[in-house]
Amino acid sequence: MAWTRIAVALIIIAACLIALGLAADVLVDWLWFSAVGYLDVFWTMLEAKVALFLAVFAASAILLWLNGSLAYRLAERQGHLPSVVSPWGSTGSQTLTALLARAALSAPLSQRPPWRLVAGGLLVLAALIALGEASNWDVALRFIRQAPYGQSDPLYGRDIGFYLFSLPAYVALKNWMLLTLVLSALVASAVYWAHGDITLDKHRSASPWVIAHGSAMLGLFFAVKAWSFWLDRFLLLYHDNAVVVGAAYTDVHVELPMLSVLVGLASAAAFASWANMRVRSYNLPAVAAVLVFGGSFVLTLAFPALFQRVYVKPNELQLEKPYLERNIAFTQEAYNLRRVTVKPFPAEQGLTFQSLRDNRATIDNIRLWDHQPLMDTYAQLQEIRTYYKFHDIDIDRYEIGGSYQQVMLSARELEPARLPSDAQTWVNLHLLFTHGVGVVMSPVTRKSAEGLPIFYLQDIPPVASGGPAVQEPRIYFGQGADSYVIVNGSTPEFDYPKGKDNVYGSYKGAGGVAVGGMARRALFAWYFDDLNILLTNYITTDSRILFRRNIQNRVRTIAPFLRLDHDPYVVVSDGRLFWVQDAYTTSNWFPYAEPLPGGGTNYIRNSVKVVIDAYSGSVDFYVADPADPVIATYWRIFPGLFKPFEAMPVDLQKHVRYPEDLFLIQAQLYRAYHMDAPEVFYNREDLWQFPRQPTGLHGVEGGDSARMAPYYIIMRLPGEERAEFFLMLPMAPSQRENMIAWLAARCDAPDYGKLIVYEFPKDKLVYGPFQIEARINQNTEISQQISLWNQMGSRVIRGHLLVVPIENSILYVSPLYLRAETGQLPELKRVIAAYGDRVVMEETLAETLAALFNESAPAVPLPGPRAAPTPASPADLRAREALSHYDRALARLKAGDWGGFGAELDAVRPLLEQLSRHPSHR
């Protein structure tokens, strides 16, 4: 028939186009993986996907074909349309549908185009099933190459690796078997219906061979269902009854035995169904189905729910206690919370100005620049041209001028979309404007007299003013748009602007794929759907095409099984620019562990540090946690992909930091899972929360509030000899605003990755950020000054409040910015600090701290490169002490404390007399 031939031709054409597209994608991937040095990874993933697709396709096609063909031949063998058996005992007549179907199928089998279409449809259906299952290629590889965990679950005694690697594979296989059996049954039913062996009118009925065939299929279904019930025994370890995550009392004592019963029922139902192939009765399969599905509802849903409500609920804590212990222990294990060291923090009020001097490294690195104000300032001062953009502000630490300093930096990337619309030509977008240039770096505390950041690195090309030198500033691979560019063409690339002129250059790196030949140009023209690649005369034999330049897209393409941290950061090392991307191994299959909201993930490790060269695009994967069995398994699968952490260049190792996403997840879980005692955990007696802080730009009362985010800080921990780089977050009790503890993650070697919780005394009030903000807003001098600025055409921007632990005390610091209503350049104008009952605001951090402790300013030098200190003479020491007493005397006079005023003046006199007797000491 003509329409049949047309349909077949269209199917063939569509299949060829799909095959051509897939072939082009595979060929481009092959070239790209070869260029980045991971061809083995490409072949491993491709072979796994193809092998799994072919295996599932073959198995699905065979099952579908066998059932469809068997139904077709059973119906055809009868030679005529027999009377069919009705379940109500009546004999169905030949329906019009059956007669039409019989007439259409009366030709010999070899001459029936419709059957060829049906066969083609079955192959398409099998291909769709296989495509869906091919996405489980990594599940199959993890199952085959799994590494043991080394710890067993308490219920079944199986290694945790069984749950991480084997159980997901078994569940995926079971789901495919059930799906394929159901689709096979539908295919067979459609064939029988077309032959009239099944009628769907008011006398619904089926022929004896339909019942026999259906019984065989039902038997297979019940056999798979029996295995499914057996697997459900292990899935009990992921239940959540709102009290316990994992197998709880009802699961172990009721549902587990019931699942064993259901395994027996389903097995018996399978044998009964196969026996019905001879009996050919409706009753036996119906009874089997009622027993299995009805029993499943009663035994695993209704009865456990009733038992939980009547028996467990009134005695919940007593009965669930051992299961709560498992939930707590395994959640702590899944999120690495067992690495948390708990220490007391007395939260004393003994901080003095001498304490600040003793902790100068901490004071010099208090971050006064918030991300958004600094981003706006960078954009106004350092983007230089409209087609450059800073995508993010990163925080890191460097040895600068002999001191360990926290800095903020950002990469200046090219943003082609910012070019004028008439300049967004194909040549400009893909051949001329190819890369960004340099980074901007500034210290976290220092500012200029105008309230602007002091730059360690600035301008184009980068100029170092105390910061690390940059010899190769070009950024071909970054966080920006992921469009392709072609380098080493016949036209030079735009390098950077220089006054009214431009500097041009060419790419000297080894990145990208050679694109000089006509065949490759045609291939990439097809791949990018861009005919200009084929037609342009600017491409030469030396040309290379750089694509997948977005660093996260680049990493995901190589290792799609890793989850990436949201914040890759740029590092200046040995004169070059690198991106460091934290990557996680995760799982949804860790038993007894609390899952994260929304995603279902209940296991995570920061097992990989990825380093991407911003110029060449090279990507290196370093294993930071070799004890993680998930990364150990992937290392077995991809032996050429990963390197030991020790292989990372030493200078880059100094810039590894604890990732914020992981820390936030751990802090979120630790709010409840720091409670080890099941009684305390059950009652939520010591539940923590993240502190609140206002989000209003003016810091006024009644504004919106948000939960405090983690922040990086350099500080010296109590009892430690040197200052370190940390990621920290304060904690507050549930439904309260005071602080209860603070959580810190160490970022420096040799203690990288260690988590510490400093807990405050429960009988002492320690102000939280929201309470300090309220006290700042209630300070009349500060609020009057803010109101005055807001009325003078300026916009006051309150920065985030930082909680700074110093020795055994807590200092609070917050910056304040001014921005003209018509301007986009925030200026750091004031610093607010609070300690004990005092809140002060001065122009600089040094002045603020001096005022806070009634000392003369600037007593604490500003951070930055420092010269060797000159020893103070005795006369200098006496002069400073006299000035200190004088300042305190003025403060006492201002407060109306006449007694204190007189005492401070009396203390000044002997110091002045000593200076007058020994003028030579000056």
Side-chain angles (χ1 to χ4, degrees):
M1 295 168 53
W3 65 268
T4 303
R5 297 190 184 93
I6 294 174
V8 171
L10 291 176
I11 292 174
I12 293 174
I13 292 173
C16 290
L17 291 175
I18 293 173
L20 184 60
L22 290 174
D25 290 347
V26 170
L27 187 54
V28 169
D29 285 344
W30 174 68
L31 292 171
W32 187 83
F33 274 90
S34 299
V36 297
Y38 292 115
L39 189 58
D40 289 344
V41 175
F42 167 77
W43 285 121
T44 299
M45 290 193 293
L46 181 62
E47 288 168 2
K49 293 175 183 177
V50 171
L52 186 59
F53 173 85
L54 292 177
V56 174
F57 174 77
S60 301
I62 289 172
L63 283 174
L64 292 171
W65 177 269
L66 284 177
N67 281 279
S69 177
L70 179 62
Y72 190 86
R73 294 185 180 278
L74 282 175
E76 179 66 21
R77 186 175 298 173
Q78 306 308 311
H80 61 87
L81 285 178
S83 298
V84 294
V85 179
S86 171
W88 296 274
S90 60
T91 302
S93 59
Q94 296 186 16
T95 62
L96 178 61
T97 303
L99 291 174
L100 293 175
R102 177 63 177 153
L105 301 174
S106 58
L109 185 61
S110 59
Q111 300 177 12
R112 295 177 187 172
W115 177 244
R116 297 194 189 101
L117 288 179
V118 171
L122 294 181
L123 293 178
V124 170
L125 184 58
L128 292 176
I129 296 173
L131 281 175
E133 296 298 329
S135 61
N136 289 322
W137 64 270
D138 58 332
V139 176
L141 289 180
R142 289 199 306 266
F143 172 75
I144 296 169
R145 304 290 295 169
Q146 60 181 280
Y149 193 93
Q151 182 178 342
S152 301
D153 81 276
L155 184 58
Y156 301 110
R158 288 181 176 265
D159 187 88
I160 301 300
F162 166 81
Y163 299 96
L164 294 177
F165 308 119
S166 297
L167 186 58
Y170 293 152
V171 171
L173 178 60
K174 178 259 297 183
N175 291 337
W176 166 78
M177 293 174 71
L178 291 175
L179 173 64
T180 307
L181 285 174
V182 170
L183 291 177
S184 298
L186 291 176
V187 168
S189 299
V191 173
Y192 283 127
W193 174 82
H195 277 269
D197 294 293
I198 296 177
T199 60
L200 300 177
D201 57 12
K202 64 179 180 178
H203 299 295
R204 291 184 293 273
S205 56
S207 60
W209 52 87
V210 171
I211 298 175
H213 190 176
S215 297
M217 294 294 295
L218 194 60
L220 289 174
F221 177 83
F222 284 138
V224 176
K225 197 65 180 171
W227 185 43
S228 177
F229 288 133
W230 184 81
L231 291 176
D232 286 345
R233 298 164 62 251
F234 300 105
L235 298 181
L236 293 177
L237 274 60
Y238 307 96
H239 277 195
D240 185 354
N241 67 358
V243 175
V244 178
V245 175
Y249 186 88
T250 300
D251 298 319
V252 173
H253 292 85
V254 176
E255 194 160 355
L256 181 56
M258 296 300 102
L259 285 171
S260 299
V261 172
L262 286 173
V263 171
L265 281 177
S267 301
F271 285 109
S273 299
W274 289 328
N276 195 57
M277 294 172 63
R278 294 183 63 87
V279 178
R280 299 185 183 183
S281 168
Y282 283 97
N283 297 329
L284 198 56
V287 170
V290 169
L291 284 176
V292 172
F293 293 108
S296 176
F297 175 78
V298 173
L299 299 180
T300 63
L301 293 176
F303 182 61
L306 181 63
F307 182 85
Q308 177 76 18
R309 180 65 188 88
V310 174
Y311 182 72
V312 176
K313 202 71 174 176
N315 310 285
E316 197 165 53
L317 177 57
Q318 175 188 353
L319 297 177
E320 301 287 19
K321 181 178 177 180
Y323 308 103
L324 279 171
E325 291 175 344
R326 296 176 183 178
N327 178 198
I328 295 170
F330 277 77
T331 298
Q332 292 176 345
E333 175 69 23
Y335 295 98
N336 239 358
L337 299 181
R338 291 190 171 185
R339 299 176 64 179
V340 177
T341 301
V342 180
K343 297 183 179 181
F345 193 88
E348 298 170 346
Q349 293 296 319
L351 195 62
T352 65
F353 204 68
Q354 184 59 43
S355 304
L356 303 186
R357 293 191 182 100
D358 295 339
N359 291 272
R360 178 175 174 177
T362 300
I363 300 301
D364 287 354
N365 288 284
I366 294 176
R367 182 166 57 85
L368 301 181
W369 287 100
D370 283 352
H371 285 75
Q372 193 56 54
L374 188 62
M375 177 75 81
D376 295 340
T377 303
Y378 278 6
Q380 292 297 312
L381 299 180
Q382 284 294 308
E383 281 186 347
I384 311 296
R385 293 289 189 270
T386 58
Y387 41 77
Y388 290 124
K389 181 177 181 177
F390 296 108
H391 288 279
D392 190 20
I393 299 287
D394 298 319
I395 299 177
D396 204 348
R397 70 284 198 201
Y398 289 79
E399 288 284 346
I400 297 177
S403 64
Y404 193 52
Q405 292 192 40
Q406 186 177 197
V407 300
M408 305 179 81
L409 67 163
S410 186
R412 186 187 294 105
E413 298 191 50
L414 186 72
E415 187 71 14
R418 289 188 167 192
L419 287 168
S421 57
D422 56 351
Q424 293 188 24
T425 63
W426 184 85
V427 173
N428 281 346
L429 293 178
H430 299 288
L431 293 169
L432 194 63
F433 291 90
T434 58
H435 59 274
V437 182
V439 296
V440 177
M441 179 187 292
S442 59
V444 296
T445 302
R446 297 180 63 187
K447 66 165 187 168
S448 68
E450 296 81 16
L452 300 175
I454 301 293
F455 291 111
Y456 286 162
L457 283 172
Q458 61 180 327
D459 299 338
I460 303 176
V463 177
S465 302
V470 181
Q471 280 82 41
E472 182 48 80
R474 297 166 184 83
I475 302 173
Y476 284 87
F477 302 86
Q479 294 179 276
D482 200 18
S483 61
Y484 73 88
V485 296
I486 299 173
V487 296
N488 297 337
S490 59
T491 179
E493 304 169 41
F494 169 79
D495 203 0
Y496 58 85
K498 187 176 182 180
K500 294 183 179 180
D501 299 323
N502 293 327
V503 176
Y504 294 87
S506 60
Y507 182 67
K508 305 298 183 183
V513 177
V515 71
M518 188 58 66
R520 291 197 176 190
R521 290 173 64 174
L523 172 65
F524 285 104
W526 169 280
Y527 182 79
F528 289 109
D529 192 21
D530 192 342
L531 194 59
N532 291 304
I533 298 176
L534 187 62
L535 301 178
T536 182
N537 293 323
Y538 289 112
I539 294 179
T540 69
T541 55
D542 297 326
S543 295
R544 305 183 70 84
I545 184 168
L546 310 183
F547 59 104
R548 293 172 184 157
R549 298 191 299 134
N550 179 279
I551 54 176
Q552 291 196 323
N553 183 26
R554 198 169 183 82
V555 173
R556 286 193 185 101
T557 303
I558 299 171
F561 45 84
L562 296 177
R563 181 180 298 183
L564 304 186
D565 190 87
H566 83 283
D567 185 25
Y569 56 99
V570 67
V571 173
V572 182
S573 178
D574 293 332
R576 297 176 67 87
L577 302 181
F578 298 90
W579 296 97
V580 178
Q581 171 70 67
D582 285 285
Y584 308 109
T585 52
T586 61
S587 177
N588 298 355
W589 295 91
F590 202 89
Y592 287 102
E594 177 89 26
L596 296 178
T601 298
N602 64 0
Y603 173 89
I604 186 168
R605 292 288 187 274
N606 176 215
S607 298
V608 181
K609 304 286 185 179
V610 189
V611 177
I612 306 100
D613 190 307
Y615 182 72
S616 68
S618 64
V619 186
D620 294 298
F621 295 80
Y622 299 98
V623 175
D625 187 3
D628 171 28
V630 179
I631 201 62
T633 298
Y634 280 121
W635 208 339
R636 292 180 176 186
I637 298 170
F638 305 104
L641 176 60
F642 300 104
K643 302 175 182 178
F645 183 77
E646 293 74 21
M648 181 187 293
V650 175
D651 189 60
L652 282 175
Q653 291 184 31
K654 297 177 182 178
H655 295 281
V656 168
R657 68 185 193 186
Y658 203 85
E660 187 174 337
D661 285 358
L662 175 61
F663 183 78
L664 196 59
I665 289 172
Q666 291 175 315
Q668 182 77 22
L669 270 297
Y670 197 76
R671 295 181 313 114
Y673 284 92
H674 70 278
M675 297 179 281
D676 291 321
E679 298 87 355
V680 178
F681 184 88
Y682 177 82
N683 295 319
R684 294 298 197 264
E685 296 175 18
D686 194 19
L687 186 64
W688 294 353
Q689 66 178 4
F690 298 167
R692 287 196 304 156
Q693 61 179 8
T695 58
L697 291 178
H698 306 293
V700 297
E701 285 190 276
D704 295 333
S705 64
R707 294 298 173 185
M708 199 170 189
Y711 52 91
Y712 291 97
I713 185 172
I714 287 181
M715 63 180 173
R716 182 168 67 87
L717 290 178
E720 298 292 338
E721 295 182 357
R722 63 181 182 89
E724 300 176 50
F725 191 55
F726 288 89
L727 179 60
M728 69 165 288
L729 178 67
M731 290 287 189
S734 179
Q735 308 301 319
R736 301 287 296 277
E737 301 298 347
N738 61 293
M739 280 200 302
I740 192 68
W742 54 278
L743 175 65
R746 306 179 87 156
C747 297
D748 291 345
D751 298 312
Y752 172 84
K754 294 182 179 178
L755 300 176
I756 308 174
V757 167
Y758 285 91
E759 293 186 348
F760 300 145
K762 296 243 171 75
D763 58 351
K764 182 181 292 187
L765 174 64
V766 180
Y767 289 126
F770 202 78
Q771 292 171 318
I772 294 296
E773 291 284 2
R775 294 184 57 207
I776 292 173
N777 294 330
Q778 292 165 4
N779 185 287
T780 54
E781 294 182 6
I782 295 176
S783 19
Q784 286 175 3
Q785 183 64 65
I786 290 176
S787 299
L788 180 62
W789 277 324
N790 283 327
Q791 294 170 8
M792 296 174 61
S794 297
R795 185 183 183 190
V796 176
I797 303 174
R798 281 290 312 283
H800 289 103
L801 181 72
L802 296 182
V803 178
V804 184
I806 300 180
E807 294 185 351
N808 290 319
S809 301
I810 295 292
L811 178 70
Y812 306 87
V813 179
S814 177
L816 186 146
Y817 312 91
L818 283 185
R819 181 165 63 187
E821 289 186 353
T822 58
Q824 296 295 323
L825 192 63
E827 299 175 357
L828 175 58
K829 287 301 185 184
R830 293 293 185 270
V831 178
I832 303 171
Y835 179 73
D837 296 328
R838 288 178 54 76
V839 177
V840 298
M841 181 178 72
E842 297 294 341
E843 187 172 346
T844 66
L845 177 61
E847 294 172 351
T848 301
L849 296 179
L852 188 64
F853 291 93
N854 295 318
E855 293 284 346
S856 57
V860 179
L862 289 173
R866 297 185 288 225
T870 303
S873 67
D876 291 334
L877 295 175
R878 293 190 187 97
R880 292 177 186 174
E881 188 176 356
L883 185 58
S884 176
H885 283 296
Y886 175 73
D887 288 337
R888 285 199 287 266
L890 292 181
R892 298 293 185 268
L893 178 63
K894 185 177 179 180
D897 181 7
W898 293 99
F901 173 72
E904 294 292 345
L905 283 183
D906 291 341
V908 171
R909 183 178 182 84
L911 294 172
L912 295 177
E913 290 175 347
Q914 291 178 26
L915 285 171
S916 65
R917 285 196 298 269
H918 302 283
S920 62
H921 290 172
R922 294 183 177 180

